[in-house]
Each structure stands twice: as C-alpha cells, then as structure tokens.
Amino acid sequence: MIEVVNPATEEVVGTVRAGTPQDVDNAVTRASAAFDGWSATPVEERAKIVRRIADELEARAEDLASTMTTEMGTPITFARKVQVPNPVGIARGVADALDDGYFAGEEIGNSLVLREPVGVVGAITPWNFPLQQMVAKVVPALAAGSVVVLKPSELAPFTADLLAEVLRAAGVPDGAFSLVHGTGPVVGEALAAHPLVDMVSFTGSTRAGRRVAALAAETVKRVALELGGKSANVVLDDADLTRAVKIGVANAFMNNGQACSAWTRLLVPAERHDEALEIAAAAAAKYEPGDPALATTRLGPAVSAAQRDRVVGYIRRGVEEGATLAQGGPGAPAERGFYVTPTVFGSVTPDMAIAQEEIFGPVLSVMPYTDEGDAVRIANSTVYGLGGAVFSADTDRALAVAKRLRTGQVDVNGAAFNTSAPFGGYRQSGNGREFGRFGLDEFTEVKSVQR
C-alpha cells in the first residue's frame, strides 16, 4: 500500500494500493480490447460525453478542490479558482474542437487526409496540477477515439479516483479508461514499455521524461512530453515596473511555487534592479505560509519532505553562489508541515544554479540586463523553454520580444491563461502540445487516401 500524506500536517490521510506490472498488463489488455468499439463511436456522441465530463467536473468542484488541497497542499482558494476551472475549460475546449468538424477530413489534390485515433494511450501525470494534467491527456485522447490507461502521481491519487468517477458518470465505457495507481519505477515504466501501448503522454521532470522516452523507443511509440521549465519574465524599460513585478511574484509563487511554467526569473533593466528587487521582496513577504485549507492562505507547503529539502537546498546554494538574499531564506517557517519560506534573490547571474535549474518552490531570481538584446539572450540561456512573459507599455514591442523567446508560451502584460490555446515546450521542456485542437492532434494518426 502507498500512504498519502497531508503536506500541511504531515499526517497520513489514506492509502491506495500499489499497482504492479501485472496490473498494467491487465489494464492495457482491456484497453486494447475496447479500442475497436470506442473508436467506432460517432464523433457527435464522443463530443456529448466530453461535455458531460466538463459538467460533472463543475458539479463536483468543491470536492475536487478540497481533495487536492488535502493531498498536495494547494491553497483552497487557488484550487477553486484555477485547479478545477482550468480542467473544465480544457474539456469544453476539446468538445468545441470536435464540434468544429475536426474529423471531417481535408482535400489536398487527389487525396483525402483523415485523422484517426492513435490507439492505446498510456498517460502518466504529476502531482502539482493533478486534475488539470489528467484532463489534458485523458479527455482529448478519449475524444479522439483512443483508449487510455492512466497512472497518476502516487502523491495525489485521490483526485484521480474522483476523475474516474466523473468519467463513469459521463458515460465512458469500461475498458476505454483504466486507472492504475503506483510508483513511476514500477507502474510508469511498465506502461511506457508495454508493447500494446501505442503512445505515452507524460508530464513531469525532465529526468523522468528522458527515461519514459527511452523505454518507449524500444517499441517506437509516439511520445508526448511536458517537462520542466525555468521561465523568464522580461520587464522592458518602458513597463510599469511595480505592476510587472507584483504580477511576476504572484506567478512565481502560484501553487506554492510548484508550477512548471512559473516565471521564476525576473529580468529587469540593470539601472532599475534595486528598485525591482525592493518591490519583489515586499510583495513576497506578503505570501505568509499557512494552512492551505483556509481561504485566506496564499502559500501552502511543498508537496513532500523531499521536495521541501530540495527547495531549501537551492536556497542555500543561491546564498553560496553570491546572490543577494532580499527576502526569506533556508529557515523553516513552521514547526509542522513541509513549508518553505518564500524567497527572493537579487543580482542573480545566468551562470548560477538558481538561474539555470528548476527549483519548483517559492523562489524568485531577479536578474539585471543591459539592453533588450541582452534580456532576450538571458531569457534563452537555459535548457528549458516552456513559459515566459514580456511587459511593456508598447504592446507591439512586447510582441516583438515575445517572438524572440525560445519558449512554447509567452504572456504579454499579464494576459489571461487560455485553456484552448496550445500549451507545451521547446528543447528540454518537452515536445507536443496540449489543450484544444492541438491537444487532439497529439492523440491522432494522419492517413492520406489517394483517389
């Protein structure tokens, strides 16, 4: 059995059975047998089921939000405003794409180009946005006519159980979806290597993504990877500095700093570095760690003791490397719970570990640049390329800089997140895209019929 721990209290709140390779084989075999029937289901019927999934998620919003708060520590207000609404929006965006004639085919010369379901999908999802990442894989895969075996994170398994209930209530038939709890080295690897799995969709660390890709390569599976990030928030010299910095801090610390696309590097003109650092430190000080079940809490705990220790280790490393510690530090803010003190570093240079490596906690690095070209160079100086931001009083200028950033998603002047626009990364942030029509693309094959 796997014990599930509330990271705010360090208490065991339940258990799930640890799956085995035999459990994976059974689930994949059922999925393979169900594929012909599910893939033959009319597109219109699949679209109706996807809309029912969205409705069921919305109806169970409070249960889903409180479950995520309990098992992985996301603040309840963030869970209610983001962790549940985003998956609802993703599901509805998929249904809209189906209704827009996604499977109608395209005439190219004497060819009819068709999209068909990829087959059996192995979905492996993380703990930080558990519902969002499960929905972003399971729903478009099912909508495309594929069948799914899901391995959720063992740190947040109860949200997956609730999703399984939602899928059943919405009309997803037995076999088309299966859930296998367990660890990555056992269940995840068995799923990635299984010969009957046609595709693996994985979200997690870059290290684990490499392992999944290597296992999948043995059977030449399709692999979609959404991995780590070290996103830059580029504040140009004409931007409203106070607004840009405060929005940047909020983004860096969202979900307790545990977001792959978080803007963890704040790039500011060198002549305004000290001013920006002061604003960032003051904003970060307001993120007082607290009980994530309280509506007033903005910053909850790290998901586990290991994750807390990893983040604290990076904070110590930042001090050792000579960065200016403007707020926070490695000290524990609470006697109980896996809490990390919200931390802001200044005078961070691109060669420092805290500027290059994904920390996955409430740690912000403020980095000075000399001119616009230098800002772009620094922003593109990591192995990652998932998210990012540009702030400027001139929207056209901001867009021009956004186009120069080697990253899969860029927000201009704090624009809202779009659950129907493609989400995914460049370089070691992965490959493939999620959400909307682009998410459907991942779970389909392309067939050309010449006539």
Side-chain angles (χ1 to χ4, degrees):
M1 301 298 286
I2 297 173
E3 292 185 337
V4 181
V5 176
N6 182 328
T9 64
E10 302 185 39
E11 297 173 347
V12 175
V13 292
T15 61
V16 293
R17 179 177 174 274
T20 66
Q22 185 60 56
D23 293 323
V24 172
D25 184 63
N26 292 341
V28 172
T29 300
R30 286 196 306 272
S32 183
F35 174 66
D36 285 347
W38 177 246
S39 62
T41 302
V43 174
E44 296 78 13
E45 179 59 27
R46 296 204 302 264
K48 290 178 182 177
I49 289 174
V50 170
R51 292 201 183 278
R52 287 201 292 269
I53 291 171
D55 292 343
E56 287 284 338
L57 291 172
E58 199 166 50
R60 302 183 188 210
E62 189 59 28
D63 195 11
L64 287 161
S66 62
T67 297
M68 286 184 277
T69 294
T70 298
E71 65 184 359
M72 50 76 60
T74 190
I76 187 64
T77 298
F78 185 78
R80 289 167 177 159
K81 291 183 177 180
V82 177
Q83 293 269 23
V84 177
N86 275 6
V88 172
I90 291 166
R92 289 186 173 143
V94 169
D96 289 343
L98 289 181
D99 289 343
D100 285 342
Y102 180 83
F103 285 101
E106 179 184 1
E107 297 283 354
I108 301 178
N110 68 316
S111 299
L112 175 63
V113 180
L114 302 172
R115 284 198 173 270
E116 297 180 346
V118 71
V120 179
V121 175
I124 304 173
T125 57
W127 47 262
N128 62 322
F129 282 82
L131 184 63
Q132 176 171 310
Q133 290 309 118
M134 287 187 288
V135 168
K137 299 181 190 305
V138 173
V139 170
L142 292 172
S146 292
V147 291
V148 184
V149 178
L150 169 67
K151 193 223 83 79
S153 170
E154 65 273 24
L155 297 176
F158 300 141
T159 303
D161 290 338
L162 290 175
L163 177 62
E165 292 177 9
V166 164
L167 297 177
R168 284 194 294 270
V172 176
D174 292 341
F177 171 82
S178 294
L179 171 63
V180 183
H181 288 298
T183 64
V186 176
V187 172
E189 294 203 2
L191 191 57
H194 200 289
L196 292 181
V197 171
D198 299 291
M199 174 186 174
V200 179
S201 181
F202 172 84
T203 297
S205 70
T206 297
R207 176 191 57 79
R210 293 192 194 103
R211 177 62 177 164
V212 167
L215 290 167
E218 291 297 318
T219 49
V220 199
K221 292 176 174 58
R222 181 185 299 180
V223 178
L225 302 172
E226 197 268 277
L227 307 176
K230 195 67 181 177
S231 301
N233 177 13
V234 180
V235 181
L236 298 179
D237 55 15
D238 63 344
D240 181 334
L241 186 68
T242 298
R243 178 176 181 272
V245 171
K246 287 183 177 180
I247 292 175
V249 170
N251 182 282
F253 289 177
M254 69 173 172
N255 201 39
N256 310 334
Q258 299 172 144
C260 52
S261 60
W263 310 335
T264 54
R265 295 180 295 150
L266 175 62
L267 277 56
V268 297
E271 64 273 14
R272 303 195 71 182
H273 169 272
D274 292 351
E275 182 185 357
L277 185 61
E278 182 179 352
I279 296 168
K286 296 178 180 179
Y287 282 78
E288 184 176 349
D291 181 354
L294 298 178
T296 53
T297 296
R298 300 174 75 184
L299 191 73
V303 73
S304 66
Q307 184 61 27
R308 174 201 59 199
D309 294 346
R310 169 186 167 84
V311 176
V312 170
Y314 272 108
I315 294 173
R316 291 197 174 103
R317 190 166 178 182
V319 173
E320 293 167 359
E321 290 180 321
T324 300
L325 183 62
Q327 163 63 30
E335 294 183 0
R336 186 177 67 169
F338 307 133
Y339 289 93
V340 176
T341 303
T343 298
V344 176
F345 283 106
S347 302
V348 177
T349 57
D351 60 318
M352 294 181 180
I354 58 172
Q356 290 292 322
E357 300 176 24
E358 184 176 46
I359 298 172
F360 227 60
V363 181
L364 177 66
S365 294
V366 181
M367 308 178 69
Y369 66 82
T370 56
D371 55 30
E372 190 174 291
D374 188 43
V376 171
R377 180 189 63 79
I378 294 171
N380 291 337
S381 67
T382 76
V383 298
Y384 298 108
L386 186 58
V390 182
F391 283 82
S392 172
D394 183 340
T395 303
D396 290 338
R397 183 187 178 198
L399 180 59
V401 172
K403 291 178 179 179
R404 298 173 66 188
L405 301 184
R406 297 284 295 163
T407 183
Q409 188 172 75
V410 184
D411 295 346
V412 170
N413 290 331
F417 189 68
N418 184 351
T419 56
S420 291
F423 179 81
Y426 289 16
R427 296 176 289 173
Q428 291 190 36
S429 286
N431 54 64
R433 293 295 181 268
E434 296 179 328
F435 307 167
R437 176 175 62 80
F438 294 88
L440 278 168
D441 287 348
E442 293 299 321
F443 300 102
T444 59
E445 294 282 14
V446 178
K447 176 180 288 183
S448 177
V449 181
Q450 279 64 249
R451 296 172 294 180

